[in-house]
Amino acid sequence: MAGVSTYDLTGKRVFVAGHRGMVGSAVVRRLASENCIVLTADRRELDLTREEPTLKWLEANRPEVVVHAAAKVGGIAANNNLPVDFLCDNLALELSVIRASHMVGVQRLLFLGSSCIYPKHAKQPIAESELLTGPLEPTNEWYAIAKIAGLKMCQAFRRQYGDDFISVMPTNLYGRGDNYHPDHSHVPAALIRRFHEAKLAKAPSVAVWGTGTPLREFLNVEDFADACVFLLKNYSSDLPINVGSGDELSIADFAAAVADVVGYEGKLIFDASKPDGTPRKLLDSSRVRELGWAPKTPLSVGLAVAYADFLEMGGRNMRVGVQA
Ligand code: GDP
């Protein structure tokens, strides 16, 4: 199939930009079992939104591979409330990291997109070819437009200079290292935290945003990190590539699964005054499957790991910042 390409990571210097975020930290964990040298930069040491210091850092550290997992991320409310941060911070990160990677001659770069780059009413399951075929979901268009620009940058550098830069589109992710901010998190972290607090408070009921009817696909972040490493080693194309689990469920069913793992036995109340977002978001991941990659973690197992991680952190991870 198109895009098959073998790249050997052995002995390579791999820079993971955004190594403290949920995806970046999972990629670092996964790379530990590859025979490569993992490079990271602390936020206090390097502001990745600024191109000049980023270029200097890359010149000094000479990575052959870059995983661009640094992004300003957040759930439906954060996207709505912080449009400048979501648009401008992400554009700044992309310009800086992608252009500087080109300038230092990085051999392979993996850019992390998002399933929200696809149109609100894209044909389901969503194939990569749906990109730019219709209007975006308004609650996350700031982020989506920045991510579309990032993938276009990768295509542009490939077309103009032959750079081997690829873009990977994950479905909704959950797992270790998530952000538990009460308003700005994604649904898995939001519900883990809220249900946990409701359990401790012995609350008879707890709110779930929206109608409960939207359909979402969830992928464990360890599986996604595995897919990133797989694609670094096996994929090269200007076409973005989707990575999903194929496991689709309604928000109501997902909330029930979270309540089960957390051990919350009260009632779930759906708050329809909160936005539902896009009605359905299931990726067509047949291309990555054809290349030979498949996810391994059942939702209940992954959610149990995520809950254990939340308990271990004592609910401290509540940032709204850039994952760098
Ligand atoms: P999305 O997939 O980009 O819409 O991202 P989210 O993870 O923020 O939301 C997914 C779905 O979960 C939406 O339909 C939300 O309305 C719903 N949802 C239910 N409860 C919550 C919550 O407490 N926080 C968030 N972020 N979403 C929630």
Side-chain angles (χ1 to χ4, degrees), residues 74-77 79 115-116 137 139-140 172 182-188 190-191 194 207-212 214 216 218 251 274-278 281:
I76 200 163
N79 263 275
S115 56
C116 70
E137 156 61 34
T139 51
N140 57 30
N172 284 38
D183 304 319
H184 293 143
S185 51
H186 286 105
V187 65
L191 296 188
R194 202 174 305 136
V208 177
W209 293 0
T211 58
R216 292 290 185 278
F218 294 94
I251 292 300
K274 292 281 199 303
D276 265 343
T278 200
K281 200 162 47 163

Side-chain angles (χ1 to χ4, degrees), residues 46-59 95-97 99-100 103:
L46 174 62
D47 176 357
L48 287 167
T49 62
R50 295 179 53 224
E51 189 167 342
E52 211 184 297
T54 302
L55 179 59
K56 282 210 176 91
W57 192 93
L58 291 177
E59 279 167 349
L95 259 184
S96 153
V97 173
R99 199 154 54 181
M103 281 153 101

